[in-house]
Amino acid sequence: MTPMKEDYLKIIFELGGTKKKVSNKQIALSLDIAAGSVTEMVGKLVQEGLAKHTPYAGISLTKKGIRYAETLVRKHRIWEDFLVDKLNYDLPDVHSEAEVLEHVTSERLVDSLEAFLGNPTHCPHGGAIPDKDGHYQEDSHTSLADTEDGSDVSIERFIDNHDLLMYLHDIALQIGQQVTVIKHDPFEGPVTIEVKATGQRIPVSYKAAHNVFVK
């Protein structure tokens, strides 16, 4: 399987494609690619039995696709945890390293890393880590962009994307922050939130708000 197909499986998994239909637009926003490219790759995943596509509804992973995605995500996120926790990498810098390492990691090695790290349940950007039997706590799939004005929410996780993580670092948005959603500006404008602990108001860009998940 090509790295690009694997990236699609992982992003569909991150967006909730194990339980619900994910739109082409969501995938395009998260991978920062054209919608036309998504349509082409979705067709390939369907042909290989890794995904199901319903016109005008979206795409979800098959059992085969879920198993493959869980294996990839587990290796990727355990390496991210190791790089941040043991080697003091900055969060925005771990994705590219973990992307390389996941492809050369045996089941024995990932099991040993998991035990060495104390069996972590979540990676540094908040995503659940499946254990070797495929068990994990289901992530929230409610994006900041889809949260109503006036809602009080907790920042739970971010999509694993270098540019996104750099942007969120710059605006000081962090996992675990309690925030109030103030307003959604029209015409794909930012979502303004207020951090409860400080009262600081932060405008979060339209694209970023679709890749930040809350509960």
Side-chain angles (χ1 to χ4, degrees):
M1 179 175 292
T2 66
M4 181 58 73
K5 286 181 183 177
E6 292 180 342
D7 285 346
Y8 270 79
L9 288 177
K10 285 188 292 186
I11 206 65
I12 294 168
F13 177 92
E14 283 202 68
L15 292 171
T18 62
K19 302 287 186 183
K20 65 175 187 176
K21 296 289 185 181
V22 176
S23 70
N24 285 18
K25 180 180 178 181
Q26 286 177 290
I27 297 171
L29 281 169
S30 295
L31 292 178
D32 197 20
I33 55 177
S37 299
V38 174
T39 301
E40 182 180 352
M41 182 60 76
V42 164
K44 293 178 180 178
L45 294 177
V46 170
Q47 286 178 351
E48 294 179 23
L50 297 166
K52 299 176 289 186
H53 182 254
T54 304
Y56 308 109
I59 182 171
S60 60
L61 297 178
T62 62
K63 288 184 178 179
K64 177 182 175 181
I66 290 171
R67 286 195 301 270
Y68 207 111
E70 287 174 348
T71 298
L72 290 168
V73 165
R74 178 170 181 250
K75 291 178 179 180
H76 188 94
R77 291 179 176 175
I78 285 176
W79 274 118
E80 288 186 326
D81 192 73
F82 176 81
L83 291 168
V84 170
D85 188 50
K86 302 302 180 184
L87 299 185
N88 299 316
Y89 269 62
D90 291 330
L91 183 56
D93 298 331
V94 298
H95 175 72
S96 58
E97 300 280 15
E99 193 80 6
V100 174
L101 290 164
E102 73 184 57
H103 294 110
V104 294
T105 302
S106 66
E107 289 301 317
R108 179 182 177 183
L109 177 54
V110 75
D111 287 350
S112 297
L113 270 174
E114 182 179 46
F116 174 70
L117 293 167
N119 302 302
T121 59
H122 290 79
C123 71
H125 56 82
I129 301 176
D131 67 17
K132 62 183 178 181
D133 298 317
H135 301 137
Y136 54 95
Q137 179 181 333
E138 190 70 30
D139 290 328
S140 166
H141 300 298
T142 302
S143 74
L144 180 60
D146 292 333
T147 306
E148 293 184 0
D149 292 352
S151 299
D152 293 325
V153 296
S154 174
I155 304 298
E156 183 180 55
R157 65 184 179 96
F158 308 136
I159 289 291
D160 192 2
N161 175 284
H162 176 267
D163 291 341
L164 172 69
L165 295 174
M166 287 291 292
Y167 170 77
L168 296 175
H169 175 77
D170 289 344
I171 65 173
L173 193 64
Q174 300 173 10
I175 301 292
Q177 282 179 322
Q178 304 292 319
V179 305
T180 300
V181 180
I182 303 300
K183 64 174 182 175
H184 292 64
D185 282 356
F187 303 109
E188 300 189 354
V191 178
T192 301
I193 60 173
E194 183 176 288
V195 180
K196 287 194 171 185
T198 63
Q200 179 187 10
R201 291 200 172 191
I202 303 174
V204 182
S205 75
Y206 174 84
K207 184 181 290 186
H210 279 83
N211 291 309
V212 173
F213 295 87
V214 301
K215 63 179 180 179

